Amino acid sequence: MELFKKVKIINFMEYSKWGLAASTLLVIACLGLILFKGFNLGVDFAGGSVAQVRFTQKAPIAKIRQAFAEAQFSGVQVSAFGSDKEVVIKIPVGKVHKDLSTEITHILKPLGKFEIRKLDSVGPKVGDELKQKGVLSLVLAILAMMLYVGVRYEWRFALASVVALLHDSLITATSVIVFNIDLNLEVIAAILTLIGYSINDTIIIFDRIREGMLTKRTNDLNFVINEAVSSTLTRTLFTSLTVFFVLLVLYVFGSKILVGFSLPMLIGTIVGTYSSIFIAPRVAILLGFDLERYHENELKKAKKKQEKERLRRQYEHGRV
């Protein structure tokens, strides 16, 4: 299905100058947020306990904080969760006990009727192991993508796709700081999913660019890229919008537990689509890709292949 019956060549390369400048500023802002504010580690990585409690009436958040303080629980964080009747209580790692559910029940009993709907506890050692494995999984995924595109494309285009991938991952990861989301396994899963989605989006466009470079005997790389991006625009928009609306439904109608996955993926889908169109091709040009030299190298490869084929035929007929 085509969104546009007749493909109009849009000058994406002209717009990509502004896109690259905006992305540079955004990346600097993201690095600043990470350095000066940092991630708020969830219980998966920091250790500790998280209790999800639902009251039959409006949850008295201030009184809950006071009750835990009086019970000698220091550093406890209490926040609303989804509705005014439900709260999340985050207890630091030093207060992880086997009978924590009983202690919470005892502390909250004077404040009204309630139900402990969920209670997760992670020790400091397990949290540290999960953190290391989460970081390792991200590094291995990016290295695997680097190896794949390095074999598939000319090195400048391969490096450009990796730069776009790092750009998408960084912005998506930093979004959890902006929206005050705990960095946990759900966020790591969202970033890993985004890595696969983003590199696939870039590869679709790069494949069409490569086809254009091989079939269109022109040395105007900007024209080849504009034509390739324009011809894949329908596919890119339909794919991105399909993913976007599914994630939007998860974010709006799903429980708050899904926010750690759905919101970063929503942002990552937008950023990944944008970088595949405006960032990755522009970076390949900035790295010095020369289309005329590419044509010369491809011609030499074709001649070598023809020569090998000629020698093979001569060998088969006993002439060599």
Side-chain angles (χ1 to χ4, degrees):
M1 181 179 178
E2 291 292 332
L3 186 62
F4 307 108
K5 292 183 178 180
K6 185 177 180 181
V7 176
K8 180 182 178 181
I9 308 301
I10 304 171
N11 193 357
F12 287 103
M13 295 311 296
E14 180 65 28
Y15 301 135
S16 67
K17 297 176 183 178
W18 304 103
L20 187 61
S23 287
T24 302
L25 294 175
L26 191 56
V27 167
I28 293 172
C30 289
L31 293 174
L33 276 173
I34 293 173
L35 290 174
F36 295 106
K37 187 174 181 181
F39 294 101
N40 184 26
L41 297 180
V43 66
D44 294 340
F45 297 150
S49 300
V50 175
Q52 181 182 337
V53 181
R54 182 177 180 84
F55 285 81
T56 56
Q57 75 284 358
K58 184 177 180 180
I61 293 178
K63 291 182 179 180
I64 294 173
R65 292 190 182 119
Q66 184 180 354
F68 274 95
E70 291 174 354
Q72 305 301 316
F73 277 72
S74 59
V76 173
Q77 299 177 15
V78 183
S79 57
F81 187 80
S83 69
D84 59 358
K85 294 182 179 180
E86 202 159 348
V87 294
V88 165
I89 304 170
K90 298 179 183 178
I91 303 171
V93 67
K95 290 291 183 180
V96 177
H97 302 299
K98 291 182 180 179
D99 58 346
L100 186 59
S101 177
T102 304
E103 290 189 48
I104 294 174
T105 302
H106 177 72
I107 293 170
L108 298 181
K109 192 174 182 180
L111 302 180
K113 293 183 179 180
F114 62 90
E115 173 193 4
I116 299 177
R117 306 189 72 184
K118 184 179 179 183
L119 178 60
D120 293 328
S121 296
V122 176
K125 186 176 179 181
V126 175
D128 190 55
E129 289 178 359
L130 288 173
K131 182 166 59 177
Q132 292 177 6
K133 290 179 179 179
V135 173
L136 181 62
S137 64
L138 288 175
V139 172
L140 290 178
I142 292 175
L143 288 177
M145 295 302 173
M146 289 173 64
L147 179 63
Y148 171 65
V149 297
V151 172
R152 188 179 177 104
Y153 296 105
E154 196 269 348
W155 73 267
R156 292 174 184 85
F157 275 89
L159 184 56
S161 64
V162 172
V163 169
L165 188 62
L166 293 173
H167 163 275
D168 302 342
S169 302
L170 177 64
I171 294 175
T172 302
T174 311
S175 68
V176 304
I177 301 177
V178 177
F179 293 98
N180 197 29
I181 299 172
D182 291 342
L183 182 62
N184 50 31
L185 291 176
E186 286 81 6
V187 176
I188 297 297
I191 297 174
L192 287 171
T193 306
L194 171 69
I195 288 173
Y197 172 83
S198 179
I199 200 68
N200 179 69
D201 217 22
T202 302
I203 283 173
I204 294 295
I205 294 175
F206 276 9
D207 274 348
R208 189 59 64 91
I209 292 173
R210 185 170 58 181
E211 290 174 9
M213 290 190 300
L214 292 173
T215 57
K216 308 291 183 181
R217 293 303 175 184
T218 173
N219 292 326
D220 186 355
L221 183 57
N222 285 340
F223 174 79
V224 174
I225 292 175
N226 287 332
E227 187 180 45
V229 176
S230 298
S231 61
T232 56
L233 188 59
T234 296
R235 178 263 170 206
T236 301
L237 289 177
F238 274 137
T239 303
S240 299
L241 287 173
T242 301
V243 175
F244 178 83
F245 285 127
V246 170
L247 292 169
L248 186 62
V249 170
L250 280 177
Y251 176 70
V252 175
F253 299 105
S255 68
K256 237 189 167 182
I257 297 174
L258 298 175
V259 170
F261 178 83
S262 59
L263 185 57
M265 270 299 295
L266 269 174
I267 296 168
T269 301
I270 298 170
V271 175
T273 303
Y274 150 80
S275 70
S276 298
I277 296 173
F278 295 104
I279 303 301
R282 170 57 62 180
V283 172
I285 291 180
L286 291 177
L287 290 172
F289 183 83
D290 190 331
L291 185 54
E292 186 174 358
R293 189 183 304 168
Y294 177 81
H295 283 154
E296 292 175 358
N297 292 335
E298 289 298 318
L299 186 60
K300 289 178 182 178
K301 289 180 183 178
K303 288 181 178 179
K304 286 182 180 180
K305 187 177 181 180
Q306 290 176 358
E307 181 64 19
K308 287 182 180 179
E309 183 65 21
R310 185 182 66 82
L311 291 174
R312 187 184 66 81
R313 289 200 198 97
Q314 289 181 349
Y315 177 79
E316 288 176 350
H317 291 84
R319 298 176 186 174
V320 177

